[in-house]
Amino acid sequence: MIDFDRRFGPDDARLPLTDAVRRIVAELTSSSASSDEFEQACDLVERAASILEARGHARAYSGAEASLSDHQDSSFLDFSPLVGPLNPLAPPIAMHLADDGSVVGEAVFGSAYEGPPGCVHGGFVAASFDEVLGFAQSLGGHPGMTANLQVDYRSPTPLHRPLRFVGRIDHVDGRKIHTVATLHHGDTLCAEARALFVSMKPEVFQRLMRERRRDDPGDPADRAASAPDAPPH
């Protein structure tokens, strides 16, 4: 099952690095620094990227949301673009299981997620619903992948404010898992969603795993070996 309470060791430097990248992204959306200051920052970021690119690349990849049907380790969620604490693209959404069995996701979206002025882009709202309901449907015992997602936007979703997603299973019909969710800012209903998930057949999941491993970029040496030859000087 999903581990809602994953913890990282105090010496895991990936967390502060990820937070630092989020800060850079946030600053880029509003900073009025000078060109010289942007160049200085760019040089530092380029140096950091070069350090990481020069090292090996490996990750214990346990699949997609449907891998939860095998009750595998959910460490892959660390890199989710919505909830992943190790993915700087993620706000991240903090997930937990409520006493009534529903899944609750709480987040604050910064300026990088802006759509209409002062509001979260509707695409990020939809993606967040998909993630929250993906957690919810996995609790049914035979989780799958999204087949359909419908979002009704009720009022603007504000940036820089605490938001609360709540998702649950509505009913199950064979391999079809029907789910529902809401998004609130305080007492204000911002959006509602309904999603259909279809339990994945084991052979489909295994095929996706094979394709994922085949397409893994590997470490820099592997990338260099597969790169086209440089043109002659």
Side-chain angles (χ1 to χ4, degrees), residues 18-146:
T18 304
D19 287 340
V21 174
R22 288 194 185 103
R23 288 170 56 200
I24 291 173
V25 171
E27 289 300 321
L28 283 172
T29 64
S30 59
S31 176
S32 58
S34 67
S35 294
D36 286 343
E37 290 166 330
F38 277 123
E39 288 181 3
Q40 292 176 37
C42 181
D43 288 341
L44 292 172
V45 173
E46 290 281 3
R47 288 171 56 191
S50 296
I51 291 172
L52 298 179
E53 289 171 349
R55 301 300 183 265
H57 292 71
R59 174 173 148 193
Y61 184 80
S62 53
E65 57 195 8
S67 71
L68 297 172
S69 61
D70 294 329
H71 304 286
Q72 296 181 0
D73 188 298
S74 58
S75 61
F76 67 91
L77 293 173
D78 296 343
F79 301 96
S80 159
L82 279 307
V83 303
L86 298 181
N87 189 334
L89 297 178
I93 304 172
M95 307 288 287
H96 67 270
L97 185 63
D99 291 339
D100 63 0
S102 61
V103 170
V104 177
E106 296 176 307
V108 175
F109 288 81
S111 298
Y113 304 93
E114 189 169 22
C119 302
V120 181
H121 192 291
F124 289 115
V125 171
S128 299
F129 270 129
D130 189 34
E131 188 85 335
V132 171
L133 289 174
F135 272 72
Q137 59 92 27
S138 73
L139 300 177
H142 301 282
M145 296 181 70
T146 313

Side-chain angles (χ1 to χ4, degrees), residues 69-70 199-210:
S69 61
D70 294 329
S199 294
M200 181 181 288
K201 296 179 180 179
E203 58 269 24
V204 176
F205 173 69
Q206 293 302 323
R207 175 176 58 80
L208 291 176
M209 285 290 291
R210 289 194 300 269

Side-chain angles (χ1 to χ4, degrees), residues 218-229:
D219 62 28
D222 293 334
R223 296 198 298 270
S226 62
D229 293 336

